Amino acid sequence: MTPHELAQYMLNQDHFSQWMGIKLIEVREKYCLIEMPVKQEMINGLRTVHGGVTFSLADSALAFSSNNTNEASVALHCSLNFTKAVKLGDTLTAESILISDTRKTGVYDISITNQHKVLVATFRGTVYKIEKKVTDL
């Protein structure tokens, strides 16, 4: 399977990412660009997007980029910084870029922007390679 086919294979089984409305825009080996529309049910009491939604978008980007070579990886540590509020009607894009790759771990930087290309959050995720194939899980 190509990296895009593996990411699509994962998305087909990922009902939460489907509920969020995530679409694969570009997938290359250990890289992905995904997009998500902000829906009414994602809005918190301050009329902005719930932080967990932004985290989940970044987490999905981490999953689709770190697993698309069929080398199964799971999140080991993640951190998120919010830089701008997200509103209903925004469309978010998450770009995941590998910055460090070892035999057992990988570190990815994920930038989340809105439809105006304004940075709304940054995310760094470390994954642990579990020595299994994605397609065997």
Side-chain angles (χ1 to χ4, degrees), residues 41-86:
E41 50 274 54
M42 298 174 172
I43 301 301
N44 66 22
L46 299 176
R47 298 187 196 168
T48 60
V49 168
H50 190 286
V53 171
T54 305
F55 187 97
S56 294
L57 174 64
D59 187 45
S60 289
L62 178 64
F64 298 137
S65 59
S66 66
N67 286 284
N68 70 28
T69 61
N70 206 23
E71 183 177 21
S73 300
V74 295
L76 186 62
H77 181 269
C78 301
S79 63
L80 178 76
N81 289 299
F82 300 100
T83 57
K84 185 166 178 58
V86 177

Side-chain angles (χ1 to χ4, degrees), residues 92-108:
L92 298 181
T93 302
E95 181 179 36
S96 179
I97 299 172
L98 177 69
I99 61 168
S100 175
D101 196 18
T102 70
R103 187 174 57 81
K104 295 299 289 174
T105 64
V107 179
Y108 291 78

